[in-house]
Amino acid sequence: MMKQPVEGFSKLTKNQKIEWLAQAYFSDPGKAVSIFKTYWNDDEKLQKLHDEFIENTITNYYLPLGVAPNFLINEQLYTIPMAIEESSVVAAAGKAAKFWLKRGGFHAEVVNTEKIGQVHFIYKGDKERLRQYFEHIKPALFSETETITENMKKRGGGIIAIELRDKTAALEDYYQLHCTFNTLDAMGANFINSCLEQFARTLQQGAQEYEAFETEEKKIRIVMSILSNYVPDCLVRASVSCKVEELNEDQMPPEEFADKFVRAVDIARIEPYRAVTHNKGIMNGIDAVVLATGNDFRAVEAGVHAYAARNGRYSSLTSASIENGIFRFEIEIPLALGTVGGLTSLHPLVQLSLEMLGNPSAPELMQIVAVAGLAQNFGAIRSLVTTGIQKGHMKMHLLNILNQLQATDEEKAFFVTYFKDKTATHRSVIEAFHKLRENA
Ligand code: MEV
């Protein structure tokens, strides 16, 4: 039967919403309600906090929060929190951290921390008059945003620059105010968007009173005002390096390992099909820390992938080289992160994650996150060019199946050994499990 639209859903209570859902969509409504409610937190205050993060909350969706210890970054030791559902990611991070701990650790530096926002508008008049109008209105763009920027300015941040950009060659009558901001330890989305919306009002109203404009030119039409998640000037670099002969932990001569490793990164540099998977592996590490520290992983994803395609072809975010017997592996990525405001001050686990990292500034967090991405990529490529990734993955796959079968800890240990030299397919695990239970 066709489902009917629902009126006033947002006004229903949480219980009513779940009840409606259960009746409308589930073959066993009672079971669905019970599962939704299993994930409610007994602590009512905590539950209310989560309910109010978004609209129409019905329950909580758990992700594991794991930690990867032993990260030596710029001579300081960190344990990095990671929120992620994919098995092997945290283990790979911990393994890479330990590997580099013995070889000088990770080095990281912030290149720049500028963020961008734009007012997109339409103007159908003389270009030179618009340019003159922009110079005339520019001081007002700064002064009329003073109530918004006051606090940020006191701490050393604020609006860095406002530029008029003529985009008419690409799109008829289209111009921008292209604005640069320093939002210090805040991700800054609200700050930037508030500034931009005020710029738009000032720009539009000022045009109506600008005497040098002809009547039609006074009608500047604002299309939209919004920050950009493309932040190529909010950039961080992280690297590791060691003598080739120190890459001696795999069952492969270090020279061969280094050579294959560099080859693998070079392939991702020139081959988009590989680059996407290569970068996906990097984002396994990056997103997990971004999420654990309460940052916006969609913004980070969008900006990072745009950066990976900045030269016209999608390419690797990391690079590797061997020079004079030294192996070097590096990442360069844009990361607009915050360590104050937003979820960072609301979510108790986010607060713990940040405290675990020593309550970093945003630039420090950029370095930690970049390192997590580099470490993840190191772990993935190391596996890919030596054992292949299935070895590690299959163990987790095996444990997931055994968990579904509610195997005991002894049974799990037995099957990990049993499947060491066999392929653990879903079917083969179930068969072996039932055989064991029958013979028990
Ligand atoms: C899987 O989540 C990530 C990898 O595919 C990354 C890579 O291939 O480099 C292992």
Side-chain angles (χ1 to χ4, degrees), residues 86-87 89 274 277-282 284 376-377 380-381 384 389 393:
E86 184 174 331
S87 59
V89 168
R274 173 57 201 151
T277 318
H278 177 96
N279 290 347
K280 188 274 180 187
I282 293 172
N284 279 344
Q376 208 63 47
N377 193 217
I381 296 181
L384 286 168
I389 59 158
H393 278 202

Side-chain angles (χ1 to χ4, degrees), residues 345-398:
S345 45
L346 289 176
H347 198 302
L349 283 176
V350 167
Q351 285 170 341
L352 285 186
S353 292
L354 287 169
E355 194 176 341
M356 195 187 306
L357 294 172
N359 287 323
S361 63
E364 281 163 352
L365 185 61
M366 286 166 75
Q367 298 180 22
I368 296 164
V369 171
V371 164
L374 185 69
Q376 208 63 47
N377 193 217
F378 179 79
I381 296 181
R382 184 184 181 192
S383 295
L384 286 168
V385 302
T386 55
T387 56
I389 59 158
Q390 281 312 86
K391 196 172 166 224
H393 278 202
M394 287 322 277
K395 186 175 166 196
M396 293 308 292
H397 176 63
L398 170 65

